[in-house]
């Protein structure tokens, strides 16, 4: 079994910062691409950023470019999302997704349960 657990969400005032973490655990052979998604009320889940195992990354939300930075630590099986200068539109549940090859050498996409980010004005 493989689990993804997000952490680091919370309530922050506009202009503040948060760093989200996503840690994978369990029967892992190799973690490939990892991604952050966001779901806010009334909106579908949208892709925020991705990062490959080699560290190539992209932020996909135009309003987040220059404010959000995605990174990972392969030794810790962890991906991060540093979010700076937050505004209320950044509020939502942030989900981690990862493409993982398990010890049985089967590759699947896994989801975490999400972490809530609330930015007050």
């Amino acid at each position: 079994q493989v689990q993804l657990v997000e952490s680091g969400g919370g309530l922050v005032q506009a202009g503040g910062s948060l760093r989200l973490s996503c840690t994978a655990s369990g029967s892992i052979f190799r973690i490939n691409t990892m991604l952050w998604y966001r779901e806010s009320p009334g909106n579908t889940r949208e892709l925020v950023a991705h990062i490959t195992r080699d560290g190539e990354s992209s932020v996909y939300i135009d309003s987040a470019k220059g404010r959000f930075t995605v990174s990972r630590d392969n030794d810790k099986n962890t991906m991060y999302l540093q979010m700076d200068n937050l505004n209320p539109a950044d509020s939502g549940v942030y989900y981690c997704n990862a493409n993982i090859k398990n010890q049985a050498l089967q590759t699947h996409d896994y989801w975490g349960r999400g972490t809530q980010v609330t930015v007050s004005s």
Side-chain angles (χ1 to χ4, degrees):
Q1 287 282 35
V2 173
Q3 298 85 36
L4 294 178
V5 177
E6 302 95 336
S7 62
L11 174 63
V12 63
Q13 289 187 331
S17 297
L18 286 173
R19 188 175 85 151
L20 306 184
S21 299
C22 168
T23 300
S25 63
S27 181
I28 297 169
F29 177 79
R30 178 186 176 94
I31 303 175
N32 299 314
T33 297
M34 302 182 79
L35 307 96
W36 286 104
Y37 285 81
R38 177 175 75 192
E39 190 171 309
S40 53
N43 296 307
T44 58
R45 192 172 296 187
E46 60 181 338
L47 177 62
V48 176
H50 93 280
I51 185 165
T52 67
R53 181 170 180 81
D54 296 332
E56 295 181 8
S57 64
S58 290
V59 173
Y60 292 92
I61 298 178
D62 287 340
S63 63
K65 293 178 181 178
R67 299 188 298 118
F68 289 11
T69 304
V70 60
S71 61
R72 66 189 282 173
D73 184 333
N74 290 333
D75 291 336
K76 295 181 179 180
N77 290 340
T78 299
M79 172 179 65
Y80 305 95
L81 184 66
Q82 177 68 41
M83 305 187 294
D84 297 319
N85 194 21
L86 285 161
N87 61 68
D90 297 319
S91 298
V93 180
Y94 284 72
Y95 295 91
C96 173
N97 174 278
N99 183 266
I100 297 175
K101 179 176 286 187
N102 60 26
Q103 297 284 358
L105 303 184
Q106 300 165 329
T107 301
H108 300 285
D109 286 335
Y110 295 89
W111 287 93
R113 300 182 68 176
T115 185
Q116 176 71 48
V117 171
T118 303
V119 185
S120 63
S121 57

